[in-house]
Amino acid sequence: MKKQIASASQKPIAFARDFFSYAIKGGNLYYGWLLFLSFFVVVGLYTSYVQMTKGLIVTGATDQIIWELFISNFIFTAHIAAAAVLVVIPAYIYKREDMKHLAVLGEIIALTFVIIGLNFIFFHMGRPDRFWHAIPGLGIFNFPSSMLTYDIIVLNTYLGINLVAVSYLLYKRYLGQPINTKFYTPLIYVAVAWGPLIHIVTAFILSSNAGISAWHTAVLPFAFLSMAGASGSALIIIFFLLIRKFSKMDIADSVIDFFSQVIVWSLGIIILVFASEFFTELYPGTHHAASLEYMIHGHHGLNAYVPWFWWTMALIVIPFILLLSSKVRKSYNFLLPLISLVVFLIILIEKPAVLVFPSFSPTPLGEYAVYHPTLIEIFNVLFIWASGFIILTLLTKGAIGVLTGEVQDSQTVEGDAK
């Protein structure tokens, strides 16, 4: 009996050991990818030290533009984390068998991007001593007055839900045991409901700033959700095409087709939201349109954001038109991944270059400003992204090993052999 108890208690340790042993194995391309990411991690360790010891003075934040690249990137990570439920919903709500074995990969994407987003919030605080204020009971949490605390609560809850769901399912698959649906299914339903919530609360953080007219709009949550649908699906397509190419995991064309159609619908909604917002702001010709006019044609020669604005609009409309063609959507080896990459990057770039930085102009004193990120800030952003993609790569590789049966409990393997 004691041996059986000891053996059972060692199973989680064996699972973690086998999972990560498999995750770190790969070919030259795999190690090259990890080495590439590690370069930014190594450089980022130094630049992070600089910021953590000196504070936000080493970033480009000024009295005119107080939000740095960290918050812009955080908003984008909320897009992807929320969009990951698009893998789970078809599998568990609509019972699509071709997506059921992929749901856990969606949860891993959500898990990873919540971690990346929380890291951006941590760097936004400037110094580690301020982190205490994000922990209820230890610091000044400022709840319910601060909208950021709502985001901290929903993000950490979402992180916990996905962590439990992913660990439980993979552990059961590792042991070769069926999952307890009375425990797992409600957990998935809560995750599905919670995903959009993190996005809506993030939109509320911006729209609660009544002094910044560009954010003070009721359509912001809908714009965020549609951007999540486009950028999240774009990442999932690239992610699934790579898994299909470099692993034994089977991913049907119907899955890829589903996400390419989600991108089309989402881009269409984004265009509609932009058009209605531009009309509402520009037609009356009031001072509320000042930020938008600054983005569209600059202000007395200060036009740093103008190219970004027009390129963003163009690279949202062009993929929408191209993806209306079924031939383009089914070009799995070239056009579809290329367009997905463009959609992912343009919505990432839209955050600082269109949504955040130009919105601070004009200031309450009527000043117009341009944000200039420092090298320390840029490398800290790359550090967070590189760390996040290393986590995503390792978790995905280990999960694929479990799902394809290459990583199994030794006793289960012996039982199957008998």
Side-chain angles (χ1 to χ4, degrees):
M1 177 64 81
K2 284 183 179 178
K3 283 185 178 179
Q4 287 178 344
I5 293 172
S7 175
S9 65
Q10 290 170 358
K11 293 284 185 187
I13 299 171
F15 166 66
R17 184 195 60 218
D18 294 345
F19 183 93
F20 286 105
S21 297
Y22 182 85
I24 59 172
K25 290 177 184 172
N28 291 337
L29 196 60
Y30 185 70
Y31 289 127
W33 167 243
L34 291 178
L35 196 63
F36 170 73
L37 295 173
S38 300
F39 167 76
F40 296 103
V41 171
V42 172
V43 176
L45 286 172
Y46 168 73
T47 54
S48 300
Y49 168 77
V50 173
Q51 182 182 323
M52 293 304 146
T53 51
K54 296 184 178 179
L56 289 173
I57 191 70
V58 299
T59 70
T62 61
D63 289 343
Q64 289 76 28
I65 302 177
I66 57 173
W67 281 7
E68 344 72 17
L69 282 175
F70 305 128
I71 282 291
S72 309
N73 280 268
F74 158 67
I75 296 168
F76 179 75
T77 59
H79 286 347
I80 307 298
V85 300
L86 290 172
V87 188
V88 181
I89 290 173
Y92 285 92
I93 307 292
Y94 294 102
K95 313 293 183 189
R96 280 187 58 154
E97 290 301 322
D98 58 344
M99 295 183 73
K100 203 152 191 176
H101 65 298
L102 303 173
V104 69
L105 298 179
E107 291 162 11
I108 287 174
I109 293 174
L111 181 71
T112 307
F113 276 80
V114 170
I115 292 171
I116 297 173
L118 288 170
N119 276 332
F120 279 123
I121 291 179
F122 177 69
F123 274 74
H124 169 67
M125 292 178 181
R127 298 196 313 260
D129 52 302
R130 294 173 181 160
F131 179 67
W132 294 109
H133 298 305
I135 304 173
L138 289 179
I140 304 171
F141 195 53
N142 206 16
F143 179 83
S145 302
S146 169
M147 282 304 300
L148 187 61
T149 59
Y150 288 87
D151 226 2
I152 290 172
I153 291 170
V154 294
L155 282 167
N156 279 292
T157 305
Y158 192 56
L159 177 67
I161 292 168
N162 281 291
L163 191 60
V164 172
V166 169
S167 307
Y168 176 75
L169 185 134
L170 291 178
Y171 183 60
K172 285 292 186 182
R173 290 291 293 267
Y174 170 79
L175 295 178
Q177 297 174 355
I179 59 170
N180 181 350
T181 53
K182 290 182 180 176
F183 168 72
Y184 186 70
T185 306
L187 198 64
I188 290 299
Y189 288 158
V190 172
V192 167
W194 210 270
L197 190 61
I198 65 171
H199 225 344
I200 292 167
V201 172
T202 303
F204 286 170
I205 289 179
L206 274 76
S207 57
S208 62
N209 288 275
I212 299 180
S213 58
W215 301 342
H216 196 55
T217 168
V219 300
L220 200 59
F222 303 100
F224 275 16
L225 287 171
S226 54
M227 287 186 181
S231 57
S233 297
L235 177 70
I236 290 167
I237 285 176
I238 297 169
F239 192 61
F240 282 178
L241 287 175
L242 287 172
I243 289 173
R244 193 162 76 166
K245 185 172 183 178
F246 292 106
S247 79
K248 297 177 181 176
M249 200 155 180
D250 181 41
I251 298 176
D253 287 349
S254 57
V255 174
I256 307 298
D257 294 342
F258 169 79
F259 286 105
S260 61
Q261 291 191 26
V262 172
I263 295 179
V264 178
W265 282 99
S266 301
L267 289 176
I269 295 171
I270 293 170
I271 293 168
L272 177 64
V273 169
F274 275 146
S276 61
E277 189 63 19
F278 295 164
F279 174 79
T280 306
E281 291 292 321
L282 295 175
Y283 187 76
T286 66
H287 67 282
H288 292 290
S291 292
L292 182 57
E293 289 175 347
Y294 177 46
M295 281 183 263
I296 292 174
H297 48 72
H299 181 78
H300 295 308
L302 204 62
N303 54 9
Y305 299 115
V306 175
W308 292 107
F309 173 83
W310 289 108
W311 273 112
T312 300
M313 295 304 122
L315 293 178
I316 286 175
V317 173
I318 292 171
F320 171 70
I321 294 170
L322 290 175
L323 287 174
L324 289 174
S325 164
S326 62
K327 284 186 179 177
V328 174
R329 293 202 302 272
K330 290 185 180 297
S331 175
Y332 304 126
N333 293 324
F334 180 62
L335 280 178
L336 183 60
L338 179 64
I339 293 172
S340 298
L341 183 63
V342 168
V343 170
F344 179 83
L345 290 177
I346 201 61
I347 295 179
L348 169 60
I349 292 169
E350 182 267 347
K351 291 292 155 296
V354 175
L355 176 69
V356 175
F357 296 153
S359 298
F360 282 98
S361 296
T363 67
L365 297 177
E367 301 165 296
Y368 285 79
V370 175
Y371 190 86
H372 299 285
T374 63
L375 273 179
I376 296 286
E377 183 180 354
I378 290 170
F379 274 103
N380 281 344
V381 168
L382 293 173
F383 167 65
I384 297 169
W385 276 116
S387 307
F389 273 104
I390 287 176
I391 294 171
L392 180 64
T393 303
L394 294 177
L395 289 181
T396 303
K397 179 80 189 319
I400 289 171
V402 175
L403 294 173
T404 57
E406 294 171 84
V407 177
Q408 277 186 301
D409 177 39
S410 55
Q411 290 183 356
T412 305
V413 175
E414 288 172 10
D416 290 343
K418 289 177 183 176

